[in-house]
Amino acid sequence: MIIVLDVEQAEADLLAGALTCPHCSAVLRPWSSASARRIRQHDGASRLVRPRRARCSGCQATQVLVPAWCLPRRADAAEVIGAALVAKARGQGYRTIARDLGRPVSTVRRWLRAARGDQVEWLRCQGVRRTFELDQDLLAGLVPQATALGDALCALAAAVLAWRRRFAGHAEAWTVIGAFAAGRLLAPP
Ligand SMILES: [Zn+2]
């Protein structure tokens, strides 16, 4: 699986032989598509996604190119799960968050349980590392938050800002974060 920030660019790179295998670094070739999935958006609409598949010309392994706005094995977009994490960091409980997002209580509870402990620390580290790489001046602006999750979200927000400054990019914040987290906004089920 490869998380791609810009799907059109990734397709162009794939056709041009510019994408390489994460295992053996040989060139990836286009190889059909994965099955289509419906992903729920923040506004309640669902968006159909059919991720591209690629096959390695070296080790023959196949890779699915997953757009960074959706998360592997999750039926909701990164922006939806991200909104739940922001609400949790503000002190809201899972029942309130579920109601506000129009999602089942059990689903939101599962998300929040997959966003604590080591996972939150890992997210914070990704945010700090990307900020450092892209615009380390922004690290000085990181103010300690009341919770570890708040710290992680602040670091990721700084990384998005740093990315936008560096590349003049316009991708949605949670799409950029999805790419920074390589699709692991939540701990794997
Ligand atoms: Zn390979």
Side-chain angles (χ1 to χ4, degrees), residues 162-180:
W163 178 84
R164 286 184 172 153
R165 282 186 181 175
R166 171 69 75 89
F167 299 110
H170 298 289
E172 292 292 325
W174 284 106
T175 301
V176 180
I177 291 171
F180 286 166

Side-chain angles (χ1 to χ4, degrees), residues 58 130 147 175:
R130 298 292 184 151
T147 62
T175 301

Side-chain angles (χ1 to χ4, degrees), residues 21 24 56 59:
C21 175
C24 74
C56 177
C59 70

Side-chain angles (χ1 to χ4, degrees), residues 21-28 56-61 63:
C21 175
H23 302 301
C24 74
S25 302
V27 171
L28 293 175
C56 177
S57 59
C59 70
Q60 309 296 316
Q63 297 288 337

Side-chain angles (χ1 to χ4, degrees), residues 40-160:
R40 287 193 294 267
Q41 309 286 111
H42 199 199
D43 63 6
S46 70
R47 185 170 164 188
L48 196 67
V49 60
R50 183 187 289 273
R52 187 63 144 126
R53 287 172 89 184
R55 191 172 197 192
C56 177
S57 59
C59 70
Q60 309 296 316
T62 57
Q63 297 288 337
V64 180
L65 275 53
V66 179
W69 59 268
C70 55
L71 300 170
R73 294 180 296 279
R74 304 281 175 183
D76 287 271
E79 62 178 9
V80 181
I81 294 174
L85 299 185
V86 169
K88 185 190 179 188
R90 287 181 179 148
Q92 291 181 347
Y94 63 89
R95 289 181 193 280
T96 305
I97 297 171
R99 189 196 61 214
D100 290 350
L101 291 176
R103 295 292 182 270
V105 168
S106 59
T107 301
V108 171
R109 200 175 184 187
R110 199 164 56 238
W111 294 344
L112 300 186
R113 283 182 172 169
R116 52 190 188 188
D118 290 348
Q119 172 66 15
V120 167
E121 177 57 17
W122 182 81
L123 285 175
R124 190 187 68 79
C125 288
Q126 303 313 306
V128 169
R129 182 170 68 84
R130 298 292 184 151
T131 307
F132 180 79
E133 288 169 358
L134 294 167
D135 187 347
Q136 56 180 289
D137 289 348
L138 288 175
L139 285 178
L142 287 181
V143 178
Q145 303 293 305
T147 62
L149 180 59
D151 286 333
L153 295 176
C154 265
L156 290 169
V160 170

